């Protein structure tokens, strides 16, 4: 593939810019080691001009946040007819909106913690105290709060006492206008990467996540040493199979393509509970997808080189 031009898109202008740049650098290095000619491009105001003037043979998206996971950059690439690795714009939007993804899986009969979704305006117009009390009545405590859209656990937190709910709500709303509140489920937290290798979606070994703080928040995700990881996860065979099946089901039901990562909780009875799915998983030094690839005895560069070939095969023939 050294005769092909491949652009790795990273950076952008979201809260997750720094994480995205780290993902892009690591992916570019891995692809070069696999013999792929790669350039690292920032997704900035010059991107449209650059895509037209320098038109790469394929693009790999290492963007996080709305720009990379919400379908917008995918739409631009589709408009320009540039092949890219990853899910199409419609599937990205379904996965990016956490309540939509949860509802899709719940309708299919898969387990996901009970939830409610409320915009900021509801708390302002109906009285925050009354609405918060109703949320506690419905979901109980502890309760998980997170923005309805977003990644890297920005704004996400566990609330264990009702007195902490107002402040937690303010923190959560700093990253979006709508809150997703979930019943907190105790269990083993895992992440399962799914890749497509020509024989359909394949679940890689689950990564078990054990944060020192007890909550896998932004700091725990991106600060080395604050979280312990076990790959494969310390699950018995039936539970490992259940969470792998859940991740493949999420990938298929949401129409995802090439690669995804599903986050889940496995309870003591072995039930896998869907939390969310990421269509553009992180690739930093502390990210979960590279750990799963290594545990499977494969290499990041080789896997993404194969995904680039899949993207190129989707390119329509020249007229």
């Amino acid at each position: 593939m050294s005769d092909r031009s491949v652009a790795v898109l990273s950076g952008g202008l979201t809260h997750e810019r720094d994480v995205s740049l780290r993902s892009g650098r690591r992916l570019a290095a891995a692809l070069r080691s696999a013999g792929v000619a790669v350039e690292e491009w920032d997704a900035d105001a010059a991107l449209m001009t650059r895509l037209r003037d320098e038109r790469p043979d394929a693009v790999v998206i290492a963007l996080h946040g709305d720009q990379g996971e919400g379908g917008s950059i995918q739409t631009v690439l589709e408009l320009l007819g540039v092949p890219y690795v990853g899910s199409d714009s419609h599937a990205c939007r379904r996965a990016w909106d956490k309540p939509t993804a949860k509802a899709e899986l719940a309708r299919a009969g898969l387990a996901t913690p009970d939830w409610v979704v409320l915009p900021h305006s509801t708390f302002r117009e109906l009285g925050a105290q009354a609405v918060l009390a109703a949320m506690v009545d419905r979901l109980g405590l502890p309760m998980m709060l997170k923005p309805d859209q977003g990644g890297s656990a920005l704004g996400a937190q566990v609330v264990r006492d009702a007195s902490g709910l107002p402040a937690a709500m303010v923190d959560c709303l700093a990253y979006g206008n709508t809150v997703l509140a979930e019943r907190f489920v105790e269990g083993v937290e895992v992440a399962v990467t799914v890749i497509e290798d020509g024989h359909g979606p394949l679940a890689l070994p689950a990564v078990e996540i054990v944060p020192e703080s007890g909550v896998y928040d932004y700091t725990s995700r991106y600060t080395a040493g604050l979280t312990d990881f076990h790959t494969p996860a310390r699950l018995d065979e039936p539970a490992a199979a259940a969470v792998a099946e859940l991740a493949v089901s999420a990938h298929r039901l949401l129409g995802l393509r090439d690669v995804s990562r599903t986050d889940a909780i496995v309870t003591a009875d072995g039930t896998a509970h869907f939390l969310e799915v990421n269509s553009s998983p992180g690739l930093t030094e502390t990210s979960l997808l590279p750990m799963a690839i290594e545990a499977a005895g494969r290499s990041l560069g080789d896997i993404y080189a194969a995904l680039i070939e899949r993207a190129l095969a989707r390119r329509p023939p020249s007229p």
Side-chain angles (χ1 to χ4, degrees):
M1 291 185 62
S2 59
D3 59 336
R4 296 200 179 110
S5 61
V6 176
V8 172
L9 294 187
S10 62
L13 300 174
T14 73
H15 293 297
E16 297 175 70
R17 174 178 173 80
D18 289 344
V19 176
S20 173
L21 288 170
R22 288 163 59 187
S23 286
R25 283 193 295 268
R26 185 173 187 187
L27 178 58
L31 284 169
R32 290 182 186 115
S33 71
V36 182
V38 173
E39 291 187 16
E40 297 172 54
W41 290 13
D42 201 335
D44 55 19
L47 180 61
M48 289 292 290
T49 299
R50 194 171 186 185
L51 283 168
R52 286 196 173 99
D53 293 348
E54 301 180 38
R55 193 177 183 85
D57 292 309
V59 163
V60 186
I61 299 167
L63 291 162
H64 307 314
D66 180 60
Q67 191 177 21
E69 300 169 61
S72 57
I73 200 70
Q74 290 81 4
T75 298
V76 167
L77 294 170
E78 289 160 7
L79 287 170
L80 297 178
V82 177
Y84 62 91
V85 171
S87 301
D88 68 25
S89 57
H90 302 298
C92 285
R93 291 188 184 94
R94 285 195 296 274
W96 174 247
D97 189 79
K98 295 178 178 68
T100 297
K102 284 171 66 72
E104 290 271 357
L105 269 68
R107 275 195 293 271
L110 300 173
T112 187
D114 191 17
W115 77 98
V116 296
V117 183
L118 289 169
H120 187 194
S121 58
T122 298
F123 298 94
R124 185 177 61 248
E125 294 165 5
L126 301 184
Q129 186 173 357
V131 176
L132 291 173
M135 288 168 57
V136 172
D137 288 344
R138 164 72 178 271
L139 300 173
L141 290 170
M143 181 190 302
M144 188 75 200
L145 296 181
K146 60 182 79 170
D148 67 324
Q149 299 179 345
S152 292
L154 288 166
Q157 53 200 297
V158 177
V159 180
R160 301 186 182 278
D161 189 280
S163 63
L165 260 178
M169 192 68 62
V170 170
D171 290 344
C172 185
L173 288 168
Y175 294 96
N177 291 319
T178 302
V179 170
L180 166 63
E182 286 180 319
R183 186 185 304 278
F184 184 76
V185 176
E186 293 279 1
V188 178
E189 186 169 2
V190 297
V192 183
T193 295
V194 172
I195 60 167
E196 296 184 16
D197 61 357
H199 301 285
L202 170 70
L204 299 183
V207 179
E208 180 182 347
I209 303 157
V210 187
E212 185 179 279
S213 67
V215 180
Y216 193 43
D217 55 14
Y218 184 89
T219 301
S220 297
R221 286 172 186 244
Y222 300 113
T223 306
L226 292 187
T227 300
D228 291 329
F229 302 98
H230 301 274
T231 314
R234 298 171 298 179
L235 300 171
D236 61 27
E237 189 172 332
V243 78
E245 183 179 352
L246 174 70
V248 169
S249 295
H251 188 91
R252 285 181 167 144
L253 286 167
L254 296 171
L256 300 176
R257 185 176 69 187
D258 291 341
V259 61
S260 69
R261 192 199 74 228
T262 289
D263 299 336
I265 295 287
V266 181
T267 50
D269 64 358
T271 302
H273 297 258
F274 172 82
L275 298 179
E276 58 190 76
V277 65
N278 191 318
S279 62
S280 182
L283 300 166
T284 72
E285 300 78 8
T286 57
S287 292
L288 308 172
L289 185 152
M291 296 181 198
I293 289 175
E294 183 178 353
R298 305 176 70 172
S299 80
L300 182 64
D302 287 345
I303 281 182
Y304 270 82
L307 293 178
I308 290 168
E309 290 290 354
R310 287 175 58 82
L312 288 165
R314 293 193 290 263
R315 178 173 51 189
S318 302

